[in-house]
Amino acid sequence: MNVFGVDIGGTGIKGAPVDLDKGDLSEERFKVLTPQPSTPESVIEGVQEVVTHFGHTGPLGVTFPGVVVDGVTRTAANVDQGWVGFDARTKISEKLGLPVVVLNDADAAGVAEITFGAGRGRGGTIILLTLGTGIGSAIFVDGRLVPNTELGHLELHGHDAEKKASAKAREDEDLSWHHWAHRLTKYLAHVEMLFSPDLFVLGGGVSRKAEKFVPLIEGIKAEIVPAELQNNAGIVGAAMAAAKL
Ligand code: BGC
């Protein structure tokens, strides 16, 4: 089937057609910058630009960096506040004239990773964390997702965890890999205290540099592995959701 995924992020909107047998993009992805301010109207125009670039006409999966329930976006930590309470599924579907499913970005990435990537064939409790502009989370128990878990917003030492431990925090504060890994360790220890997962999968663009920080994380009982689909996981997961439409 001809399915397509779009990943809306704080900095870019990227998409591609997806080969669901391989769990990979079937063409090179196309990206536009996320407009600023990232209002729903301007971002939807970006989504349309990405989709029409490929001339796609079929089901469309779209990820969003916030809570999404029944196609309505409920939170917007790193995008314009106009998304709070916005019926994204209906609006995108009307604008593009396609059947649309909207889901949380980390949930989409997690579904792709446990199907085609680092969590493939594994049971038990798996927590995928995307370390990017914010921190996204997806929790799986024997392959079944608990959606919209938002573990990036756990409070850690009086701070919103993602403000201290995301990849953006490392860049903004110019932290060494050691310093950032130390913060990540504290964050992972907190998540482990709450959920005792069997496996942590660490995703987001920074997972490409896993060898620089994963070996520096100490004292966590769960196995820790980098994501395998890296920056394409959201697109693949979105397309997988679209295939069910
Ligand atoms: C949002 C999550 C999202 C994560 C990664 C967080 O700020 O609250 O919903 O998954 O960023 O984009």
Side-chain angles (χ1 to χ4, degrees):
M1 187 177 20
N2 184 20
V3 281
F4 197 97
V6 173
D7 198 13
I8 299 176
T11 53
I13 303 169
K14 53 204 190 216
V18 171
D19 179 336
L20 289 182
D21 292 325
K22 296 200 184 116
D24 204 357
L25 312 188
S26 50
E27 284 180 57
E28 199 176 324
R29 71 183 192 193
F30 180 71
K31 175 174 167 176
V32 298
L33 291 179
T34 305
Q36 299 300 340
S38 48
T39 57
E41 294 70 27
S42 59
V43 168
I44 291 174
E45 278 179 18
V47 171
Q48 185 170 37
E49 198 180 328
V50 171
V51 173
T52 48
H53 174 84
F54 293 91
H56 172 74
T57 55
L60 174 67
V62 179
T63 78
F64 177 75
V67 171
V68 188
V69 177
D70 288 335
V72 175
T73 49
R74 285 196 182 169
T75 66
N78 297 302
V79 283
D80 187 81
Q81 292 304 301
W83 287 92
V84 177
F86 182 73
D87 189 353
R89 178 177 59 203
T90 305
K91 290 292 191 304
I92 299 172
S93 179
E94 280 172 6
K95 174 99 176 168
L96 277 75
L98 303 175
V100 170
V101 56
V102 184
L103 68 167
N104 173 263
D105 56 359
D107 287 347
V111 168
E113 284 293 337
I114 74 151
T115 311
F116 298 110
R120 194 177 52 237
R122 302 270 306 234
T125 303
I126 300 180
I127 300 186
L128 170 116
L129 297 167
T130 60
L131 309 168
T133 310
I135 294 181
S137 60
I139 304 185
F140 295 86
V141 181
D142 291 335
R144 206 175 151 91
L145 171 71
V146 182
N148 293 309
T149 46
E150 294 294 317
L151 300 187
H153 299 296
L154 285 173
E155 189 182 310
L156 201 62
H157 304 301
H159 297 278
D160 191 23
E162 74 172 20
K163 294 275 182 298
K164 293 284 164 188
S166 64
K168 182 169 186 292
R170 187 183 73 82
E171 285 164 17
D172 288 354
E173 295 185 50
D174 204 12
L175 301 177
S176 66
W177 288 107
H178 263 100
H179 193 157
W180 186 57
H182 180 68
R183 288 192 186 177
L184 264 183
T185 301
K186 293 200 162 160
Y187 174 63
L188 292 174
H190 191 64
V191 175
E192 179 158 74
M193 183 271 290
L194 293 169
F195 296 99
S196 301
D198 301 289
L199 176 69
F200 279 116
V201 179
L202 302 184
V206 75
S207 60
R208 271 195 303 267
K209 298 181 186 150
E211 79 288 351
K212 291 202 189 288
F213 65 95
V214 174
L216 304 176
I217 299 171
E218 287 174 343
I220 304 296
K221 293 183 191 68
E223 190 184 341
I224 303 173
V225 296
E228 289 174 12
L229 283 75
Q230 294 169 352
N231 261 339
N232 291 334
I235 297 175
V236 173
M240 289 172 73
K244 296 193 182 130
L245 283 171

